[in-house]
């Protein structure tokens, strides 16, 4: 019984990660080393953005694709939403689910994928 439950949970997590992975694009989430590799902007490789991160400038989360939030970093950028570290695994090594402030309301905290 435990094995079946563990397998069901594992498949559910894999499906959730797979869905997020399909959202990676030159607009949001692709690895980059220069802005020319992205539709809008590259957050250069660093501890906060392992392997670089294509993103969009934003003022509010409505400016961001689904499954992402407009975070109060680097002038307002879109980063993927998450529930826990496992939901950020599709981005690669070094990405974790962390709490950060919304760009429009920095005191309002949401969970996003970020390095560190």
């Amino acid at each position: 019984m435990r094995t079946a439950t563990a397998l069901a949970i594992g498949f559910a997590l894999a499906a959730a990660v797979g869905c997020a992975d399909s959202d990676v694009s030159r607009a949001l989430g692709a690895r980059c080393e220069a802005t020319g590799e992205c539709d809008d902007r590259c957050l250069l490789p660093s501890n906060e953005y392992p392997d670089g991160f294509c993103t969009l400038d934003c003022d509010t989360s409505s400016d961001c694709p689904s499954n992402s939030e407009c975070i109060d970093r680097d002038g307002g950028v879109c980063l993927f939403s998450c529930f826990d570290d496992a939901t950020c695994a599709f981005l690669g090594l070094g990405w974790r689910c962390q709490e950060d402030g919304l760009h429009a309301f920095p005191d309002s905290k949401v969970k996003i994928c970020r390095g560190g």
Side-chain angles (χ1 to χ4, degrees), residues 74-97:
D74 301 291
V77 294
C78 300
L79 295 175
F80 284 112
S81 304
C82 58
F83 298 104
D84 56 26
D85 289 346
T87 58
C88 298
F90 72 97
L91 290 169
L93 295 175
W95 290 89
R96 294 187 10 213
C97 187

